[in-house]
Amino acid sequence: MSIWDRVRYVWMNGDFVDWREATVHLSSPVVNMGLGVFEGIRAYWNPRIKQLNVFRLRDHLNRLFDSAKVHRMHVPFSKGDIEKAVVELLSSNNFREDIYIRPIIYRGNLWQEEESIDTGIYAGPRATRLKGVDKGVRCCVSGWRRMSDSILPARVKACGNYLQYHYAMSEALASGFDNTILLTVSGKVSESPGANIFLIRDGVLITPSITSDILEGVTRNTLIRTIREKLDLEVVEREVDRTELYVADEIFFCGTGGGEVTPVISVDNILLGNEEPGEITERVRSLYLSLVLGEVEKYKDWLTPIYEG
Ligand code: PMP
């Protein structure tokens, strides 16, 4: 049985449709050219209070609409409409576990008038990795470079951008690594193909600046603020050299989907520390878990509860 067997409804252009009927046409520009923008959002089930909370829904939708704007796509719904649709979609599926949510805005049908834009949202179970013991990942520096803003903007979450994920990850996996780190065209550290990166050197957290051809991650933003405020550690956004990866005390990836907070234990087979997730990385991971579960009063505004009461 697949996890998708537990999903009943998908939201498409304002209506709830059966999961199996949520299809696009073969001729569509999104299939043929990747012409679409999307978001990856998580909702976490808190068993203590029996509530499902979406984490930073409005911030993800801000980025979704920014991505559409860069593509000159007019979204036929407001952010409020999409927010309401996400809440209704999760409750109508009666989800009571950790969920991954994907809104997508795309050119779905070549036969419709020129400007026709479709909007869909699907969601399904995806367990968090934050709770379990994670041994960390072994990475290489990719032979591929992160595309620059003057070629395809990494800043936006465009469907077509993820061809780079495919190239870079398949190269890394074929070489026996778990994940990979992309450099910019000018050789500075950018990000992993699906997550942002933090290095720790002498107790200071360093992350590539937003002009390093990164997706401006919601998790990255969350951590920059809360590491300063709750862990009382220094966080610096700046250009990062490749060799800093080799001399870092700790490295972790961060992102909503697969990564959340994922420790890196080696880069190009050069070990960081002693083959175990570092101490600061572990503190960051448990901080992030408490935030997404809504256990930190100060940041409760980041949560959108699904069920009443
Ligand atoms: N970079 C890339 C290329 C990504 O695909 C993601 C995942 N969306 C991230 C960074 C992290 O972004 P976020 O924290 O908003 O999920």
Side-chain angles (χ1 to χ4, degrees):
M1 184 170 151
S2 135
I3 49 164
W4 300 110
D5 292 329
R6 307 215 294 275
V7 180
R8 292 178 66 194
Y9 302 113
V10 168
W11 185 92
M12 280 181 104
N13 295 322
D15 295 316
F16 290 97
V17 296
D18 188 275
W19 163 257
R20 279 155 300 212
E21 275 147 38
T23 54
V24 293
H25 196 268
L26 187 63
S27 68
S28 69
V30 67
V31 171
N32 289 263
M33 297 177 290
L35 185 44
V37 296
F38 69 103
E39 267 308 313
I41 310 170
R42 269 188 189 264
Y44 290 83
W45 174 249
N46 184 328
R48 193 179 59 78
I49 52 168
K50 299 197 171 16
Q51 181 60 275
L52 182 66
N53 289 307
V54 187
F55 189 63
R56 300 198 67 173
L57 177 56
R58 185 44 82 118
D59 299 297
H60 280 283
L61 297 184
N62 287 340
R63 188 172 64 190
L64 180 70
F65 277 65
D66 282 349
S67 297
K69 188 176 180 183
V70 173
H71 283 70
R72 299 179 192 275
M73 288 164 106
H74 171 72
V75 189
F77 294 94
S78 68
K79 287 178 195 169
D81 294 335
I82 308 278
E83 218 160 38
K84 189 161 165 276
V86 167
V87 172
E88 287 176 4
L89 181 69
L90 298 192
S91 63
S92 68
N93 277 294
N94 198 24
F95 290 134
R96 286 164 201 276
E97 59 191 304
D98 297 335
I99 296 295
Y100 185 69
I101 307 151
R102 181 158 281 185
I104 172 163
I105 297 166
Y106 59 101
R107 282 291 312 279
N109 195 332
L110 208 55
W111 312 112
Q112 288 171 1
E113 65 205 73
E114 189 61 15
E115 288 304 316
S116 137
I117 297 295
D118 288 311
T119 311
I121 310 167
Y122 65 91
R126 188 165 181 182
T128 178
R129 292 175 59 180
L130 288 168
K131 288 178 192 160
V133 179
D134 193 334
K135 291 193 172 64
V137 291
R138 296 173 56 251
C139 292
C140 56
V141 172
S142 182
W144 298 98
R145 292 291 168 103
R146 189 71 174 140
M147 66 259 179
S148 100
D149 193 59
S150 60
I151 299 171
L152 278 175
R155 172 167 289 102
V156 298
K157 205 163 166 66
C159 300
N161 284 0
Y162 284 80
L163 264 183
Q164 177 150 68
Y165 181 96
H166 171 75
Y167 281 121
M169 281 301 279
S170 57
E171 177 197 53
L173 297 178
S175 308
F177 293 98
D178 306 313
N179 208 319
T180 187
I181 298 164
L182 292 156
L183 305 181
T184 64
V185 170
S186 55
K188 300 295 178 186
V189 175
S190 179
E191 60 182 343
S192 121
N196 294 119
I197 188 168
F198 280 76
L199 291 75
I200 299 156
R201 298 189 66 189
D202 297 327
V204 177
L205 289 99
I206 303 159
T207 191
S209 59
I210 58 167
T211 49
S212 299
D213 295 321
I214 63 167
L215 182 77
E216 295 177 23
V218 174
T219 318
R220 175 185 178 279
N221 173 283
T222 302
L223 293 180
I224 290 173
R225 176 164 164 202
T226 56
I227 287 167
R228 284 176 183 151
E229 291 177 2
K230 297 303 280 187
L231 301 186
D232 204 19
L233 291 169
E234 192 182 342
V235 186
V236 181
E237 297 176 68
R238 64 160 169 83
E239 275 192 342
V240 176
D241 280 334
R242 174 182 184 155
T243 46
E244 291 190 87
L245 296 170
Y246 304 140
V247 298
D249 302 317
E250 300 177 35
I251 296 179
F252 62 84
F253 292 137
C254 71
T256 305
E260 299 178 285
V261 176
T262 300
V264 173
I265 54 167
S266 69
V267 180
D268 288 338
N269 289 322
I270 298 178
L271 271 185
L272 317 167
N274 50 5
E275 247 177 300
E276 278 176 8
E279 186 246 320
I280 294 182
T281 303
E282 286 302 284
R283 285 172 66 198
V284 171
R285 184 147 67 138
S286 63
L287 168 68
Y288 191 65
L289 181 63
S290 61
L291 295 174
V292 297
L293 288 179
E295 302 289 6
V296 187
E297 193 60 41
K298 184 171 180 188
Y299 309 107
K300 275 197 167 161
D301 287 355
W302 280 340
L303 305 185
T304 305
I306 298 304
Y307 300 109
E308 276 172 29

